[in-house]
Amino acid sequence: MRLNDTGGRQSRITIHDLAAAAGVSISTASKALNDAGRVGEETRERVKRIALEIGFRPNALARGLLSKRSFTIGLLTNDTYGRFTLPVMAGISEALVDHGVSVFLCAIEDDPTLGQIHVDAMLDKQVDGIIASGKRLDRRLPVDLSSLPVPVVYAFTEGTPGSVSFRSDDAQGARLAMEWLIALGRSRIAHITGPESFFSVCERASAYREIAGDSEPVLYGAWAEAWGHEAVGRIWSRAGEKPDGIFCGNDQIARGVVDALRERGVKVPEDVSVVGFDNWEIVAAQTRPPLTTVDMELKELGRQAGLTVLALAEGRPVEPGVRKLPCRLVVRQSCGGACKV
Amino acid sequence: MRLNDTGGRQSRITIHDLAAAAGVSISTASKALNDAGRVGEETRERVKRIALEIGFRPNALARGLLSKRSFTIGLLTNDTYGRFTLPVMAGISEALVDHGVSVFLCAIEDDPTLGQIHVDAMLDKQVDGIIASGKRLDRRLPVDLSSLPVPVVYAFTEGTPGSVSFRSDDAQGARLAMEWLIALGRSRIAHITGPESFFSVCERASAYREIAGDSEPVLYGAWAEAWGHEAVGRIWSRAGEKPDGIFCGNDQIARGVVDALRERGVKVPEDVSVVGFDNWEIVAAQTRPPLTTVDMELKELGRQAGLTVLALAEGRPVEPGVRKLPCRLVVRQSCGGACKV
DNA sequence: CTGAAAGCGCTTACAG
DNA sequence: CTGAAAGCGCTTACAG
């Protein structure tokens, strides 16, 4: 008779213990628990009841060895800041916990060696799939994921050709912002944004251009409050009519813009409406007035990425390609217009 | 002869394949790889070389089943915001990756049910230990971790009696801030901080009192920029000498304070020196001028917590109790004094 | 020095 | 309806 007898931290309850307690063989115990095979109804009930009583939980390592499924996936990210990865991660975790899947988090900075170590560690642990995530749509992770023995899905980072990847629809997000400004009666809308080298900057800028026209200048700069400040200085010091709306490339820039306007005595939102991008709470909600801004719905993005690796891991077919997820406008006070159209 | 022949995604290379390729038994292959048992030097080398060539990597699930070690730990946190957990997590991951340990991240919000599900999932997966982390030193996670079959370490959250827990030394951090202000010649130092219900608020406040004396008032409020603003308004509108230094309970408050002072025409750091707490980059670095602030060294805290669960998991003895880790002053421009004492 | 055997905890054909 | 046997991929006494 096997018992918890190793001394020290007691050894866990195994299916042997359960079978013994229920007076059946381990194969019957197994089948009863999993609602598999032929087992008498009464026996099945009894085994299940006793399993609960003695607190039996199957060892996932043993199961994984047989089933070739570890119910584990890896999340690889180079976003140390965590600004983008955290919501993505929360979405993944939320979507997968219901399926019994746990997530390994691997922060690899931009170190290829570290990246490889983490990938190897995950593969050794037989992850069912990997989600690669980052902080830029137009940058690859510093590690090659193209020919792994497990499925890979990309979220908020550039994927390899033929892969499945998820990203926000930045053009649609920009349109949301512009349409909101226009609906509020703004007609001279400026665009102050980040570095032109960013793909998302270009995408937002061309959506802006499509609506605002080619004559309007786009001001490219750093992703920083200071740049928002400086840009306002530039616009307000040049001749001609001033904008009555400003669409900013992110919330930090928007905050700089709002602060700079206030310091010049320009009222937000009375004189000028300002929209941000990212809906980064700590910035957007603390700005005076709080920012109306575009939310990229990263949690939803994570959720879909999670469900997709899962599908792939289970061998279900998934169309390769880039999936763009719609953004959502979050209305606070920097534009006026209390309610959404 | 076993081969990769499952069709579809090729099955992984096993020790059988390695043994066959090297012309030895699987036991010899195993011993050669692990530098265990008696194996001829030449054989050992050959097995290792071939393992590398064919890309053999042992299945961690199989190893774990035997060794009772999964080389996996779980990180449980209710800090959705991720402000505290991310650095802690980075430290844990960094410390453990060298030991081949991967980290499951479980964000449980404040939901006890979700917490239990994650804990069960981690135990099923045979984690070697669990690190519980949070956003407040004086709050428990909404799930009982006191009698788990694996070791538990608490980081930046309250532990159960008799457990091992890590936290920042907030009193020492507060002293760092105050001593820095005093060294810069400030003598009338105010303290604007968060809600009195927070343990860390009380600890920082009493360290402040020890240095500033009992006569100085501590202004308690919300953890928000708006409160920093308001507090400055209160202080500057009352009679008597104004402070020449302000020690703030966190960076958000400090930012509100700095903005409010600027708006009143009070110069920072010329007229008043301001110190924050947290060293939250997005706030501290973007303030004008950037904040001198106290860093809780959460990454180091994570590192130590990680190494400690590992020690516990390996059966090495660890003193129970609360370990306070020293904070570090980060000097930027909000105090003057270009270089650290 | 090398290999056959047993076993980690579980599941799944296959007999009875 | 139930159980003995084989096996997932590996390690570790134990023989040879």
Side-chain angles (χ1 to χ4, degrees), chain B residues 154-216:
Chain B
Y154 297 83
F156 210 77
T157 193
E158 188 172 334
T160 48
S163 63
V164 184
S165 64
F166 291 87
R167 43 160 300 193
S168 50
D169 188 342
D170 287 46
Q172 173 266 351
R175 265 179 255 122
L176 274 181
M178 290 299 288
E179 282 158 11
W180 179 245
L181 287 168
I182 288 169
L184 290 167
R186 303 310 187 173
S187 56
R188 298 179 311 281
I189 304 172
H191 186 37
I192 304 175
T193 187
E196 208 169 348
S197 59
F198 278 66
F199 182 69
S200 58
V201 166
C202 297
E203 220 174 31
R204 292 169 199 175
S206 57
Y208 160 81
R209 275 258 166 66
E210 270 172 32
I211 296 180
D214 286 342
S215 56
E216 297 298 331

Side-chain angles (χ1 to χ4, degrees), chain A residues 29-318:
Chain A
S30 172
K31 281 177 288 190
L33 287 173
N34 298 307
D35 290 320
R38 312 281 86 209
V39 180
E41 193 49 37
E42 187 265 345
T43 311
R44 192 182 297 278
E45 291 307 322
R46 182 161 41 88
V47 169
K48 284 186 172 179
R49 180 170 45 73
I50 293 176
L52 230 46
E53 282 171 19
I54 67 175
F56 168 76
R57 307 207 105 230
N59 182 326
L61 264 36
R63 286 190 130 173
L65 204 50
L66 271 302
S67 66
K68 310 285 183 198
R69 289 265 280 120
S70 65
F71 287 90
T72 277
I73 69 142
L75 175 59
L76 212 57
T77 175
N78 66 343
D79 177 29
T80 331
Y81 223 150
R83 187 171 140 215
F84 300 116
T85 291
L86 264 167
V88 171
M89 161 98 208
I92 295 172
S93 184
E94 247 184 55
L96 296 186
V97 70
D98 294 331
H99 299 265
V101 175
S102 305
V103 180
F104 284 123
L105 181 50
C106 308
I108 62 171
E109 319 275 329
D110 285 304
D111 181 346
T113 312
L114 190 58
Q116 193 58 53
I117 291 178
H118 270 124
V119 169
D120 287 343
M122 293 193 296
L123 293 177
D124 290 352
K125 280 156 192 153
Q126 314 294 310
V127 289
D128 297 329
I130 290 179
I131 297 177
S133 184
K135 51 194 165 191
R136 273 183 77 164
L137 299 175
D138 49 356
R139 284 286 183 276
R140 291 253 165 90
L141 292 189
V143 57
D144 180 25
L145 266 20
S146 61
S147 52
L148 259 33
V150 300
V152 178
V153 163
Y154 297 83
F156 211 77
T157 193
E158 187 173 333
T160 48
S163 62
V164 184
S165 64
F166 291 87
R167 42 160 299 195
S168 50
D169 188 342
D170 288 46
Q172 173 266 350
R175 264 180 256 122
L176 231 42
M178 291 298 289
E179 283 159 12
W180 179 245
L181 288 169
I182 288 169
L184 291 167
R186 302 311 188 174
S187 56
R188 300 181 309 281
I189 304 173
H191 186 35
I192 305 175
T193 187
E196 210 169 346
S197 59
F198 277 67
F199 181 69
S200 57
V201 166
C202 298
E203 223 176 28
R204 293 168 198 174
S206 55
Y208 160 80
R209 275 259 166 68
E210 271 173 32
I211 297 181
D214 286 342
S215 56
E216 297 296 332
V218 174
L219 284 81
Y220 299 100
W223 289 123
E225 290 187 34
W227 163 235
H229 257 93
E230 187 191 326
V232 165
R234 283 200 210 165
I235 296 177
W236 259 259
S237 66
R238 72 189 181 201
E241 251 187 331
K242 304 301 174 247
D244 57 5
I246 302 180
F247 168 39
C248 300
N250 80 352
D251 289 341
Q252 290 182 77
I253 292 173
R255 171 152 196 181
V257 164
V258 169
D259 285 352
L261 291 174
R262 187 177 51 247
E263 284 163 22
R264 292 179 171 266
V266 179
K267 288 204 175 349
V268 175
E270 293 80 352
D271 303 330
V272 178
S273 289
V274 177
V275 185
F277 211 107
D278 283 355
N279 192 27
W280 195 5
E281 280 281 323
I282 177 67
V283 180
Q286 302 272 321
T287 302
R288 294 173 297 153
L291 295 173
T292 289
T293 183
V294 177
D295 188 307
M296 292 185 285
E297 301 274 37
L298 295 174
K299 196 168 182 179
E300 175 60 24
L301 198 152
R303 193 189 318 274
Q304 297 205 21
L307 293 176
T308 303
V309 243
L310 194 61
L312 253 9
E314 290 169 354
R316 283 181 272 144
V318 174

